[in-house]
Amino acid sequence: MEDKKEQNYNLLKKKAFDLGAHLFGVANTEPLKQRFLEIEGTYMDDLPYAISLGFPLSKRILKGIVDHPTKLYFFHYQRMNILIDTVTIKLTNIIQDMGYEALPIPSSQVIDWKEQKAHISHKHVAKEAGLGWIGRNNLLVTKRYGSCLRLGTILTDIPLKADSPLDQDCGLCRRCLNVCPVNAIHESPADFDHIACYEQLKIFQKKHNIRHMICGICVKVCLGEFGKNDKLSQKV
Ligand code: B12
Ligand code: SF4
Ligand code: SF4
């Protein structure tokens, strides 16, 4: 069985990379059930694994963001969501053809606007799957891409080897602390001010005539190894 789990893991990882994902990990859903998974019905009960996928954003597009989201970032954000949903749907079909169940979670669908919640927090799945940690900016931070990536999740019952969370955090870095226009970011991610961020995103939406709630400022400064030797990225 262990061999089978490893084989399935390696096969799906390869397929995911071929389809366009750049990071892949698997989490057991059991520890996530209580706090982060809020699915209508009982879909979760017999889906013990969550596949987490990471898709890096264009560094160049992020660099163009100075104090508000650009039109180019908006287009990139939209197309990236389409790519993520396409990849998770394709992987779902591959898993189904292998005789198992799979449930792709939408890249960016909000279920409850009052509570600002989706079915599942991709960030917390990714954290459990060892892709990275929750940074001071309240986003998933990875070693390789910092926060400059978007995430996807598939719940499934195909037997898989599960990864473990990383024993890592932001350490001494504080690059994102002073960049937020409404000071939503604090020393600990537990103190992140969701409301202030949300209100600012509404202002950006109106002022810059952008159809979605986006910003990108706290993403752009968190480059990880992505920003190494990169002079432009130091100018924040
Ligand atoms: C709703 C939503 C928003 C809302 C509010 C989100 C929120 N509550 O944080 C708004 C519109 C404000 C928003 C803003 C942004 N979002 Co958004 N958003 C989502 C969405 C659709 C759902 C998030 C959700 O369900 N949260 C549920 C709540 C309960 O979970 P949580 O916020 O993660 O954390 C809570 C608990 O976990 C706890 N907690 C968190 N950390 C810790 C740590 C400790 C120690 C403890 C005890 C507790 C604790 O406190 C929080 C509040 O209750 C997700 C997609 C998805 N399905 O995951 C994208 C998503 C989170 N967004 C994303 C992004 C990139 C953004 C923006 C940069 C906008 C943009 N694209 O330009 C900003 C960033 C704001 C920020 N710094 O966090 C990405 C994040 C990628 C990454 N690298 O992490 C996601 C994952 C989309 C994707 N497919 O990639 N978003
Ligand atoms: S910029 Fe630095 S402090 Fe902020 S989330 Fe990224 S790694 Fe953490
Ligand atoms: S998305 Fe913008 S407003 Fe929200 S925390 Fe990041 S920098 Fe601040």
PDB file of all heavy atoms in Angstrom, residues 9-34:
ATOM      1  N   TYR A   9       1.262   9.393  -5.810  1.00  0.00           N
ATOM      2  CA  TYR A   9       1.790  10.731  -5.516  1.00  0.00           C
ATOM      3  C   TYR A   9       2.682  11.203  -6.671  1.00  0.00           C
ATOM      4  O   TYR A   9       2.507  12.299  -7.205  1.00  0.00           O
ATOM      5  CB  TYR A   9       2.580  10.671  -4.204  1.00  0.00           C
ATOM      6  CG  TYR A   9       3.151  11.986  -3.728  1.00  0.00           C
ATOM      7  CD1 TYR A   9       2.542  12.702  -2.705  1.00  0.00           C
ATOM      8  CD2 TYR A   9       4.329  12.515  -4.282  1.00  0.00           C
ATOM      9  CE1 TYR A   9       3.083  13.899  -2.248  1.00  0.00           C
ATOM     10  CE2 TYR A   9       4.863  13.705  -3.836  1.00  0.00           C
ATOM     11  CZ  TYR A   9       4.239  14.397  -2.810  1.00  0.00           C
ATOM     12  OH  TYR A   9       4.761  15.582  -2.368  1.00  0.00           O
ATOM     13  N   ASN A  10       3.624  10.343  -7.052  1.00  0.00           N
ATOM     14  CA  ASN A  10       4.581  10.732  -8.096  1.00  0.00           C
ATOM     15  C   ASN A  10       3.891  10.933  -9.442  1.00  0.00           C
ATOM     16  O   ASN A  10       4.215  11.865 -10.181  1.00  0.00           O
ATOM     17  CB  ASN A  10       5.700   9.687  -8.221  1.00  0.00           C
ATOM     18  CG  ASN A  10       6.591   9.719  -6.984  1.00  0.00           C
ATOM     19  OD1 ASN A  10       6.693  10.744  -6.304  1.00  0.00           O
ATOM     20  ND2 ASN A  10       7.217   8.593  -6.660  1.00  0.00           N
ATOM     21  N   LEU A  11       2.915  10.077  -9.720  1.00  0.00           N
ATOM     22  CA  LEU A  11       2.196  10.194 -10.996  1.00  0.00           C
ATOM     23  C   LEU A  11       1.429  11.522 -11.057  1.00  0.00           C
ATOM     24  O   LEU A  11       1.518  12.278 -12.031  1.00  0.00           O
ATOM     25  CB  LEU A  11       1.220   9.023 -11.167  1.00  0.00           C
ATOM     26  CG  LEU A  11       0.412   9.088 -12.448  1.00  0.00           C
ATOM     27  CD1 LEU A  11       0.922   8.047 -13.450  1.00  0.00           C
ATOM     28  CD2 LEU A  11      -1.067   8.862 -12.210  1.00  0.00           C
ATOM     29  N   LEU A  12       0.689  11.821  -9.979  1.00  0.00           N
ATOM     30  CA  LEU A  12      -0.124  13.049  -9.994  1.00  0.00           C
ATOM     31  C   LEU A  12       0.752  14.296  -9.957  1.00  0.00           C
ATOM     32  O   LEU A  12       0.417  15.316 -10.561  1.00  0.00           O
ATOM     33  CB  LEU A  12      -1.134  13.035  -8.842  1.00  0.00           C
ATOM     34  CG  LEU A  12      -2.238  11.978  -8.976  1.00  0.00           C
ATOM     35  CD1 LEU A  12      -3.158  12.002  -7.762  1.00  0.00           C
ATOM     36  CD2 LEU A  12      -3.068  12.174 -10.257  1.00  0.00           C
ATOM     37  N   LYS A  13       1.874  14.205  -9.269  1.00  0.00           N
ATOM     38  CA  LYS A  13       2.801  15.353  -9.233  1.00  0.00           C
ATOM     39  C   LYS A  13       3.311  15.641 -10.653  1.00  0.00           C
ATOM     40  O   LYS A  13       3.334  16.784 -11.092  1.00  0.00           O
ATOM     41  CB  LYS A  13       3.971  15.041  -8.294  1.00  0.00           C
ATOM     42  CG  LYS A  13       4.950  16.180  -8.140  1.00  0.00           C
ATOM     43  CD  LYS A  13       5.991  15.888  -7.096  1.00  0.00           C
ATOM     44  CE  LYS A  13       6.964  17.043  -6.989  1.00  0.00           C
ATOM     45  NZ  LYS A  13       7.963  16.843  -5.955  1.00  0.00           N
ATOM     46  N   LYS A  14       3.685  14.591 -11.344  1.00  0.00           N
ATOM     47  CA  LYS A  14       4.201  14.774 -12.711  1.00  0.00           C
ATOM     48  C   LYS A  14       3.110  15.378 -13.611  1.00  0.00           C
ATOM     49  O   LYS A  14       3.356  16.332 -14.350  1.00  0.00           O
ATOM     50  CB  LYS A  14       4.697  13.443 -13.276  1.00  0.00           C
ATOM     51  CG  LYS A  14       5.191  13.588 -14.693  1.00  0.00           C
ATOM     52  CD  LYS A  14       6.005  12.446 -15.189  1.00  0.00           C
ATOM     53  CE  LYS A  14       6.587  12.706 -16.579  1.00  0.00           C
ATOM     54  NZ  LYS A  14       5.865  13.577 -17.466  1.00  0.00           N
ATOM     55  N   LYS A  15       1.903  14.816 -13.488  1.00  0.00           N
ATOM     56  CA  LYS A  15       0.795  15.336 -14.320  1.00  0.00           C
ATOM     57  C   LYS A  15       0.555  16.813 -13.990  1.00  0.00           C
ATOM     58  O   LYS A  15       0.348  17.630 -14.880  1.00  0.00           O
ATOM     59  CB  LYS A  15      -0.510  14.559 -14.049  1.00  0.00           C
ATOM     60  CG  LYS A  15      -0.432  13.090 -14.420  1.00  0.00           C
ATOM     61  CD  LYS A  15      -0.866  12.858 -15.848  1.00  0.00           C
ATOM     62  CE  LYS A  15      -0.899  11.386 -16.194  1.00  0.00           C
ATOM     63  NZ  LYS A  15      -0.724  11.133 -17.624  1.00  0.00           N
ATOM     64  N   ALA A  16       0.555  17.126 -12.696  1.00  0.00           N
ATOM     65  CA  ALA A  16       0.284  18.511 -12.280  1.00  0.00           C
ATOM     66  C   ALA A  16       1.341  19.451 -12.849  1.00  0.00           C
ATOM     67  O   ALA A  16       1.015  20.533 -13.362  1.00  0.00           O
ATOM     68  CB  ALA A  16       0.256  18.602 -10.753  1.00  0.00           C
ATOM     69  N   PHE A  17       2.596  19.044 -12.779  1.00  0.00           N
ATOM     70  CA  PHE A  17       3.673  19.889 -13.312  1.00  0.00           C
ATOM     71  C   PHE A  17       3.545  20.027 -14.826  1.00  0.00           C
ATOM     72  O   PHE A  17       3.722  21.109 -15.382  1.00  0.00           O
ATOM     73  CB  PHE A  17       5.048  19.326 -12.924  1.00  0.00           C
ATOM     74  CG  PHE A  17       5.460  19.690 -11.508  1.00  0.00           C
ATOM     75  CD1 PHE A  17       4.526  19.932 -10.515  1.00  0.00           C
ATOM     76  CD2 PHE A  17       6.799  19.800 -11.169  1.00  0.00           C
ATOM     77  CE1 PHE A  17       4.904  20.270  -9.220  1.00  0.00           C
ATOM     78  CE2 PHE A  17       7.193  20.137  -9.877  1.00  0.00           C
ATOM     79  CZ  PHE A  17       6.241  20.365  -8.905  1.00  0.00           C
ATOM     80  N   ASP A  18       3.220  18.915 -15.493  1.00  0.00           N
ATOM     81  CA  ASP A  18       3.055  18.980 -16.956  1.00  0.00           C
ATOM     82  C   ASP A  18       1.930  19.938 -17.330  1.00  0.00           C
ATOM     83  O   ASP A  18       1.970  20.609 -18.354  1.00  0.00           O
ATOM     84  CB  ASP A  18       2.722  17.590 -17.530  1.00  0.00           C
ATOM     85  CG  ASP A  18       3.941  16.662 -17.519  1.00  0.00           C
ATOM     86  OD1 ASP A  18       5.062  17.159 -17.281  1.00  0.00           O
ATOM     87  OD2 ASP A  18       3.759  15.442 -17.709  1.00  0.00           O
ATOM     88  N   LEU A  19       0.907  19.997 -16.471  1.00  0.00           N
ATOM     89  CA  LEU A  19      -0.249  20.851 -16.791  1.00  0.00           C
ATOM     90  C   LEU A  19      -0.013  22.320 -16.443  1.00  0.00           C
ATOM     91  O   LEU A  19      -0.793  23.184 -16.843  1.00  0.00           O
ATOM     92  CB  LEU A  19      -1.489  20.342 -16.044  1.00  0.00           C
ATOM     93  CG  LEU A  19      -2.087  19.019 -16.546  1.00  0.00           C
ATOM     94  CD1 LEU A  19      -3.120  18.471 -15.566  1.00  0.00           C
ATOM     95  CD2 LEU A  19      -2.734  19.214 -17.916  1.00  0.00           C
ATOM     96  N   GLY A  20       1.031  22.629 -15.648  1.00  0.00           N
ATOM     97  CA  GLY A  20       1.311  24.037 -15.365  1.00  0.00           C
ATOM     98  C   GLY A  20       1.497  24.408 -13.902  1.00  0.00           C
ATOM     99  O   GLY A  20       1.777  25.562 -13.592  1.00  0.00           O
ATOM    100  N   ALA A  21       1.335  23.438 -12.980  1.00  0.00           N
ATOM    101  CA  ALA A  21       1.608  23.765 -11.569  1.00  0.00           C
ATOM    102  C   ALA A  21       3.118  23.762 -11.343  1.00  0.00           C
ATOM    103  O   ALA A  21       3.842  23.062 -12.046  1.00  0.00           O
ATOM    104  CB  ALA A  21       0.947  22.724 -10.663  1.00  0.00           C
ATOM    105  N   HIS A  22       3.587  24.561 -10.368  1.00  0.00           N
ATOM    106  CA  HIS A  22       5.021  24.585 -10.056  1.00  0.00           C
ATOM    107  C   HIS A  22       5.327  24.072  -8.658  1.00  0.00           C
ATOM    108  O   HIS A  22       6.475  23.831  -8.317  1.00  0.00           O
ATOM    109  CB  HIS A  22       5.583  25.995 -10.232  1.00  0.00           C
ATOM    110  CG  HIS A  22       5.808  26.350 -11.674  1.00  0.00           C
ATOM    111  ND1 HIS A  22       7.001  26.815 -12.155  1.00  0.00           N
ATOM    112  CD2 HIS A  22       4.984  26.282 -12.745  1.00  0.00           C
ATOM    113  CE1 HIS A  22       6.916  27.025 -13.460  1.00  0.00           C
ATOM    114  NE2 HIS A  22       5.687  26.717 -13.832  1.00  0.00           N
ATOM    115  N   LEU A  23       4.311  23.971  -7.823  1.00  0.00           N
ATOM    116  CA  LEU A  23       4.498  23.376  -6.489  1.00  0.00           C
ATOM    117  C   LEU A  23       3.386  22.363  -6.278  1.00  0.00           C
ATOM    118  O   LEU A  23       2.236  22.583  -6.694  1.00  0.00           O
ATOM    119  CB  LEU A  23       4.451  24.446  -5.396  1.00  0.00           C
ATOM    120  CG  LEU A  23       5.581  25.485  -5.375  1.00  0.00           C
ATOM    121  CD1 LEU A  23       5.334  26.505  -4.259  1.00  0.00           C
ATOM    122  CD2 LEU A  23       6.952  24.858  -5.199  1.00  0.00           C
ATOM    123  N   PHE A  24       3.729  21.267  -5.578  1.00  0.00           N
ATOM    124  CA  PHE A  24       2.768  20.177  -5.362  1.00  0.00           C
ATOM    125  C   PHE A  24       2.988  19.624  -3.958  1.00  0.00           C
ATOM    126  O   PHE A  24       4.122  19.425  -3.531  1.00  0.00           O
ATOM    127  CB  PHE A  24       3.033  19.075  -6.397  1.00  0.00           C
ATOM    128  CG  PHE A  24       2.144  17.852  -6.293  1.00  0.00           C
ATOM    129  CD1 PHE A  24       1.038  17.710  -7.121  1.00  0.00           C
ATOM    130  CD2 PHE A  24       2.426  16.834  -5.384  1.00  0.00           C
ATOM    131  CE1 PHE A  24       0.227  16.581  -7.052  1.00  0.00           C
ATOM    132  CE2 PHE A  24       1.622  15.700  -5.310  1.00  0.00           C
ATOM    133  CZ  PHE A  24       0.522  15.570  -6.143  1.00  0.00           C
ATOM    134  N   GLY A  25       1.907  19.383  -3.250  1.00  0.00           N
ATOM    135  CA  GLY A  25       2.020  18.732  -1.938  1.00  0.00           C
ATOM    136  C   GLY A  25       0.695  18.085  -1.587  1.00  0.00           C
ATOM    137  O   GLY A  25      -0.337  18.367  -2.220  1.00  0.00           O
ATOM    138  N   VAL A  26       0.720  17.194  -0.594  1.00  0.00           N
ATOM    139  CA  VAL A  26      -0.505  16.516  -0.177  1.00  0.00           C
ATOM    140  C   VAL A  26      -0.676  16.661   1.332  1.00  0.00           C
ATOM    141  O   VAL A  26       0.283  16.493   2.094  1.00  0.00           O
ATOM    142  CB  VAL A  26      -0.456  15.015  -0.567  1.00  0.00           C
ATOM    143  CG1 VAL A  26      -1.647  14.259   0.011  1.00  0.00           C
ATOM    144  CG2 VAL A  26      -0.418  14.851  -2.086  1.00  0.00           C
ATOM    145  N   ALA A  27      -1.901  16.979   1.752  1.00  0.00           N
ATOM    146  CA  ALA A  27      -2.213  17.097   3.188  1.00  0.00           C
ATOM    147  C   ALA A  27      -3.259  16.060   3.562  1.00  0.00           C
ATOM    148  O   ALA A  27      -4.119  15.718   2.743  1.00  0.00           O
ATOM    149  CB  ALA A  27      -2.763  18.491   3.488  1.00  0.00           C
ATOM    150  N   ASN A  28      -3.202  15.558   4.786  1.00  0.00           N
ATOM    151  CA  ASN A  28      -4.322  14.786   5.323  1.00  0.00           C
ATOM    152  C   ASN A  28      -5.419  15.789   5.652  1.00  0.00           C
ATOM    153  O   ASN A  28      -5.141  16.843   6.250  1.00  0.00           O
ATOM    154  CB  ASN A  28      -3.905  14.074   6.614  1.00  0.00           C
ATOM    155  CG  ASN A  28      -3.056  12.854   6.309  1.00  0.00           C
ATOM    156  OD1 ASN A  28      -3.391  12.060   5.439  1.00  0.00           O
ATOM    157  ND2 ASN A  28      -1.946  12.724   7.010  1.00  0.00           N
ATOM    158  N   THR A  29      -6.663  15.483   5.297  1.00  0.00           N
ATOM    159  CA  THR A  29      -7.725  16.471   5.554  1.00  0.00           C
ATOM    160  C   THR A  29      -8.213  16.434   7.008  1.00  0.00           C
ATOM    161  O   THR A  29      -8.801  17.406   7.474  1.00  0.00           O
ATOM    162  CB  THR A  29      -8.933  16.257   4.608  1.00  0.00           C
ATOM    163  OG1 THR A  29      -9.295  14.890   4.609  1.00  0.00           O
ATOM    164  CG2 THR A  29      -8.613  16.712   3.212  1.00  0.00           C
ATOM    165  N   GLU A  30      -7.943  15.347   7.709  1.00  0.00           N
ATOM    166  CA  GLU A  30      -8.462  15.218   9.078  1.00  0.00           C
ATOM    167  C   GLU A  30      -8.147  16.442   9.959  1.00  0.00           C
ATOM    168  O   GLU A  30      -9.069  17.045  10.517  1.00  0.00           O
ATOM    169  CB  GLU A  30      -7.931  13.916   9.696  1.00  0.00           C
ATOM    170  CG  GLU A  30      -8.593  13.501  11.020  1.00  0.00           C
ATOM    171  CD  GLU A  30     -10.108  13.367  10.916  1.00  0.00           C
ATOM    172  OE1 GLU A  30     -10.582  12.766   9.938  1.00  0.00           O
ATOM    173  OE2 GLU A  30     -10.812  13.893  11.814  1.00  0.00           O
ATOM    174  N   PRO A  31      -6.875  16.869  10.063  1.00  0.00           N
ATOM    175  CA  PRO A  31      -6.604  18.026  10.942  1.00  0.00           C
ATOM    176  C   PRO A  31      -7.198  19.337  10.436  1.00  0.00           C
ATOM    177  O   PRO A  31      -7.273  20.320  11.170  1.00  0.00           O
ATOM    178  CB  PRO A  31      -5.068  18.110  10.966  1.00  0.00           C
ATOM    179  CG  PRO A  31      -4.576  17.258   9.864  1.00  0.00           C
ATOM    180  CD  PRO A  31      -5.655  16.305   9.477  1.00  0.00           C
ATOM    181  N   LEU A  32      -7.617  19.371   9.166  1.00  0.00           N
ATOM    182  CA  LEU A  32      -8.141  20.612   8.592  1.00  0.00           C
ATOM    183  C   LEU A  32      -9.648  20.734   8.780  1.00  0.00           C
ATOM    184  O   LEU A  32     -10.203  21.826   8.678  1.00  0.00           O
ATOM    185  CB  LEU A  32      -7.839  20.651   7.094  1.00  0.00           C
ATOM    186  CG  LEU A  32      -6.372  20.808   6.688  1.00  0.00           C
ATOM    187  CD1 LEU A  32      -6.153  20.361   5.254  1.00  0.00           C
ATOM    188  CD2 LEU A  32      -5.959  22.271   6.827  1.00  0.00           C
ATOM    189  N   LYS A  33     -10.299  19.586   9.041  1.00  0.00           N
ATOM    190  CA  LYS A  33     -11.763  19.551   9.002  1.00  0.00           C
ATOM    191  C   LYS A  33     -12.437  20.594   9.886  1.00  0.00           C
ATOM    192  O   LYS A  33     -13.271  21.361   9.432  1.00  0.00           O
ATOM    193  CB  LYS A  33     -12.255  18.159   9.396  1.00  0.00           C
ATOM    194  CG  LYS A  33     -12.312  17.216   8.223  1.00  0.00           C
ATOM    195  CD  LYS A  33     -12.879  15.893   8.615  1.00  0.00           C
ATOM    196  CE  LYS A  33     -12.767  14.927   7.444  1.00  0.00           C
ATOM    197  NZ  LYS A  33     -13.017  13.552   7.821  1.00  0.00           N
ATOM    198  N   GLN A  34     -12.048  20.640  11.152  1.00  0.00           N
ATOM    199  CA  GLN A  34     -12.753  21.495  12.094  1.00  0.00           C
ATOM    200  C   GLN A  34     -12.622  22.973  11.787  1.00  0.00           C
ATOM    201  O   GLN A  34     -13.595  23.713  11.804  1.00  0.00           O
ATOM    202  CB  GLN A  34     -12.251  21.238  13.534  1.00  0.00           C
ATOM    203  CG  GLN A  34     -12.642  19.870  14.065  1.00  0.00           C
ATOM    204  CD  GLN A  34     -14.144  19.644  13.973  1.00  0.00           C
ATOM    205  OE1 GLN A  34     -14.929  20.517  14.309  1.00  0.00           O
ATOM    206  NE2 GLN A  34     -14.554  18.470  13.486  1.00  0.00           N
TER     207      GLN A  34
END
